[in-house]
Amino acid sequence: MNKQWEAQWITDAAFIGLQPIDLFHKEMEPKELPDHREDLKNLHMLARTTWVLDDDFTDAALELTADDYYKVYINGQFVGQGPAQGNYFHYYYNRFDITPYLQKGNNVIAVHVYYQGLICRSYNSGDYRQGLIAEVSVDGRLVAKTDETWMVTRNKAYASGGIIGYNTQYLEHIDNRLQPVGWQELAYQETDWTPASVHADDDHQLQLQPTPPLAVYTVKPAKVKPLAEGGYILDFGGELTGQFKMRAHGRQGQIIELRCGEELFDNERVRYEMRCNCTYQELWTLSGDHDELDQYDYKAFRYVEVLADSSIHIDIDSFAAVVRHYPLDEEACQFESSDSMLNAIWTICTNGLKFGSQENYVDCPSREKGQYLGDNTIITHAHAYVSGDLRLFRKSLVDFALLSSHVCPGIMAVAPGHFMQEIADFSFQWPIQLLEYYKQSGDEAFLREMYPVAEEMLRHFNSFQREDGLLTHVADKWNLVDWPEGMRDDYDFPLTRPVSEGCHNVVNAFYYSARVAVAQIRKILQIEEHDDLESFKQAFRQVFWSEQTKLFVDAEGSKHSSLHANALPLLFGLVGTKDREAVVELLQSKRLSCGVYMAYFLLKALAAAGEYALVYDLIRSEDLHSWGNMVKEGATTCFEAWSKDLKWNTSLCHPWASAPIPLLIEEIIGLKPAAPGWTEVSFHPHMPETLEWLKISFEVPSGTIHFEHKHGQSKLSLPEGVSIRRD
């Protein structure tokens, strides 16, 4: 049941009377949009109210949300932030236990609301929906709610330092002369603040967020080095996501320059003009008092350079990062082996997942901050093992289902956010992810609820079928194959946008995989099967199989056989048993001549063919195209590409590169769910002889699984009631 709110939606007065802008459209059908007022972009609004608690209390709760985003304080203490971004017709609110923050007598709640105003992947913004709604209940009694009695003001301390990424965020030139110091505190006087404007026609449809709010905590730098010309270089020891904070005291109007980056130049200065297309260079203007830096939006960084005149007093002990990410129990998955390189590969993948999981999974927490459907095939699979927490996985499936039902039943490639992007290869992976979620969770009710979305997706693509059932000229969405473009192994088909006329391999292989996944879902739900998969399989082989080379070609009429055109058919069962040898030999010769995204499918294909030694060799490799190369280049989180220089705008934190985690667990250690929710396991270890020992424990819905391998002997410990299925 949806919550019935007594509170009213309050907003900055300038938004009253503005009609919401409809930003939804198919990517290949551009939509003329009205100009958005520049003065209403990058808008920081502060809101607060006070109330009195006369009696003792035992339980207090805060429920709130804001558009685009909020940070909330009670009696001067930070409580939390959010919400997870969503569409106005399914917008999330959060619930906090605030019992520890309240006191008998006077209390204050203060909220910092941010409206970005751009069309991007990181926020559902640019639509003139701004403001917040909040209710505070104590022992079941409503004691505070948003209405016209709340006081609001714009915080003008946050000036734009320019837009970075793909309209991803505004740099923050913060002027502490304009900062209302202590506005979160009870004693603050609201001089020049105005009563809030109630938005009576607000159209947000609110749903309780199904995932917990972000974990937010402080980390001190691992190293601080003074600069000869004044200032400091800070190293936090590894990539992280969050904001930098510090304290300083100088003359009014003096400026401190802040530079953040993922790496250093050879001269050991911070590379703030980052290779991922973000320039993290911001200015902080001092008030003349004792100032504290309060950045709002988050970055991905490891290093910070603080440049300041020698006359400014810098409080070195105040240097810290306010780190944020989806809550991760560090004890949920423990991995260690005798191979230091394998341990390092596991660590960079785990850290990539940690910092690439925010209120939704993100392709990178820097340039885009967007949740991409294809990336999620890898990320959700790996995150399930690292975290033991399936809530974000489940929410991600809903994110795409909701947006796609509103725009295109063929499923969008990015959700949430108002950036309309569509990729056919990714659409076909949604039912694969849904099936994987069911295997991990055993949640049949959710599977049944989501199943119609998968059917609608397949029906959408029926219009691109030709007489033999193959898809041709799927022009309403990108045909991606792999990314970046240079990692497509010379795939022989013009992947223009919209795509060229013709019939090519990869989009049809993914289409077949989606149909197979939906057929499996129908079987689970006991729904009558009606898909002629065998006819499609025969048509696929008829068009793409070369009898001469015993390989699949890239496209109809092509003579080129890429890694991609052979790995996917091998994985999805389109290669005949007698034909596997030549395909495997091709893949063995090409190794990882693909992007890190496609490497997941390649490794799974080789495992499906029984090539476990090759799977392990590729995971553990130190070639240029390898996770080992990322480690050698100094990675602390997995990269977007195999090497920093293999893509013009490589981000150094990209969780789509986390394939080694599920592949090691499922194919090398050999542990898979044999029944939904891990009530039974399949156990077929393929441990390499070169590995002296390995041990791992990870959480599943039924408990903790422990595995240890030492000197050729394997030991498995399962939760009570879980058995091994004997094949």
Side-chain angles (χ1 to χ4, degrees), residues 311-615:
S311 65
I312 299 175
H313 173 71
I314 303 292
D315 183 353
I316 302 173
D317 292 335
S318 69
F319 290 153
V322 181
V323 178
R324 51 165 277 171
H325 55 75
Y326 184 81
L328 178 67
D329 180 359
E330 304 284 355
E331 303 297 318
C333 183
Q334 297 288 307
F335 176 91
E336 190 179 6
S337 79
S338 57
D339 186 339
S340 59
M341 176 57 81
L342 188 65
N343 295 340
I345 290 168
W346 183 278
T347 297
I348 66 171
C349 291
T350 299
N351 286 340
L353 290 164
K354 177 180 180 179
F355 295 114
S357 300
Q358 297 293 324
E359 279 113 346
N360 48 260
Y361 302 114
V362 295
D363 63 333
C364 64
S366 53
R367 180 180 64 245
E368 289 156 298
K369 301 182 179 178
Q371 180 172 238
Y372 270 84
L373 181 55
D375 299 39
N376 273 11
T377 299
I378 305 145
I379 299 171
T380 56
H381 199 179
H383 190 258
Y385 287 119
V386 165
S387 69
D389 181 350
L390 298 174
R391 290 173 292 180
L392 197 60
F393 190 165
R394 188 182 194 274
K395 176 184 166 294
S396 72
L397 292 163
V398 174
D399 286 341
F400 287 99
L402 287 169
L403 178 60
S404 299
S405 66
H406 201 76
V407 181
C408 175
I411 301 191
M412 306 299 287
V414 181
H418 282 148
F419 185 78
M420 301 291 106
Q421 192 166 7
E422 303 180 62
I423 301 173
D425 316 44
F426 289 5
S427 298
F428 298 133
Q429 293 173 47
W430 189 87
I432 297 173
Q433 295 171 24
L434 177 61
L435 189 60
E436 181 62 39
Y437 174 79
Y438 171 70
K439 291 176 182 177
Q440 295 285 343
S441 69
D443 189 347
E444 186 173 323
F446 182 72
L447 183 71
R448 189 174 297 277
E449 179 187 354
M450 292 290 106
Y451 159 72
V453 178
E455 288 284 18
E456 284 295 318
M457 182 272 294
L458 290 180
R459 275 194 285 272
H460 171 79
F461 286 99
N462 286 347
S463 62
F464 299 100
Q465 283 185 327
R466 63 187 194 182
E467 192 172 330
D468 62 358
L470 296 180
L471 300 183
T472 183
H473 194 216
V474 185
D476 81 323
K477 303 181 189 295
W478 290 29
N479 291 207
L480 186 74
V481 176
D482 203 353
W483 199 258
E485 294 165 319
M487 293 288 106
R488 289 171 174 164
D489 192 28
D490 297 322
Y491 190 76
D492 185 20
F493 190 80
L495 299 171
T496 54
R497 294 176 222 156
V499 75
S500 299
E501 297 278 355
C503 180
H504 71 101
N505 181 308
V506 165
V507 77
N508 276 285
F510 273 125
Y511 177 52
Y512 177 75
S513 73
R515 289 171 63 174
V516 170
V518 173
Q520 293 174 342
I521 293 170
R522 292 190 195 110
K523 185 176 181 181
I524 294 165
L525 299 177
Q526 299 182 336
I527 296 171
E528 184 178 354
E529 180 55 55
H530 54 77
D531 199 348
D532 187 358
L533 293 170
E534 188 59 35
S535 292
F536 183 91
K537 186 174 182 179
Q538 292 175 9
F540 187 95
R541 289 179 57 83
Q542 179 69 32
V543 171
F544 301 119
W545 178 252
S546 169
E547 283 292 342
Q548 182 179 1
T549 62
K550 304 300 181 184
L551 298 170
F552 287 95
V553 296
D554 298 346
E556 189 170 35
S558 172
K559 293 183 179 180
H560 184 259
S561 296
S562 65
L563 175 151
H564 307 71
N566 286 272
L568 293 178
L570 181 62
L571 172 59
F572 300 140
L574 290 160
V575 180
T577 304
K578 297 179 180 179
D579 302 325
R580 284 186 176 182
E581 184 176 352
V583 171
V584 170
E585 285 181 0
L586 174 79
L587 299 178
Q588 185 174 23
S589 69
K590 289 183 176 289
R591 294 180 69 78
L592 293 170
S593 55
C594 60
V596 290
Y597 153 72
M598 185 55 60
Y600 170 85
F601 300 99
L602 169 65
L603 294 173
K604 284 176 66 70
L606 291 170
E611 299 293 327
Y612 300 104
L614 180 54
V615 170

Side-chain angles (χ1 to χ4, degrees), residues 112 203 223 313 481 544 667:
H112 186 161
D203 59 356
K223 297 179 182 178
H313 173 71
V481 176
F544 301 119
E667 308 300 348

Side-chain angles (χ1 to χ4, degrees), residues 153-166:
T153 190
R154 289 191 192 179
N155 188 337
K156 297 180 180 179
Y158 295 82
S160 170
I163 299 168
I164 59 172
Y166 298 143

Side-chain angles (χ1 to χ4, degrees), residues 246-296:
M246 62 175 287
R247 292 190 297 269
H249 175 54
R251 296 188 305 275
Q252 185 182 96
Q254 282 189 297
I255 294 174
I256 295 175
E257 182 178 338
L258 305 166
R259 300 172 175 179
C260 297
E262 296 177 303
E263 55 189 323
L264 299 178
F265 286 115
D266 291 340
N267 65 359
E268 297 190 340
R269 299 298 291 267
V270 174
R271 182 173 178 163
Y272 63 95
E273 294 180 312
M274 295 158 58
R275 65 177 76 235
C276 70
N277 194 34
C278 292
T279 299
Y280 285 159
Q281 180 184 29
E282 294 167 306
L283 303 178
W284 181 31
T285 303
L286 302 181
S287 70
D289 204 339
H290 293 274
D291 290 320
E292 184 165 350
L293 177 67
D294 183 19
Q295 296 185 322
Y296 194 89

Side-chain angles (χ1 to χ4, degrees), residues 9-10 67 129-131 133 199-206:
W9 189 276
I10 61 173
D67 199 338
R129 292 181 174 91
Q130 185 271 349
I133 190 169
H199 198 313
D201 297 324
D202 178 72
D203 59 356
H204 289 86
Q205 299 175 34
L206 301 180

Side-chain angles (χ1 to χ4, degrees), residues 15-28:
F15 288 88
I16 298 295
L18 295 178
Q19 291 299 310
I21 302 173
D22 182 4
L23 299 174
F24 300 106
H25 63 91
K26 285 185 62 61
E27 181 183 7
M28 301 298 181

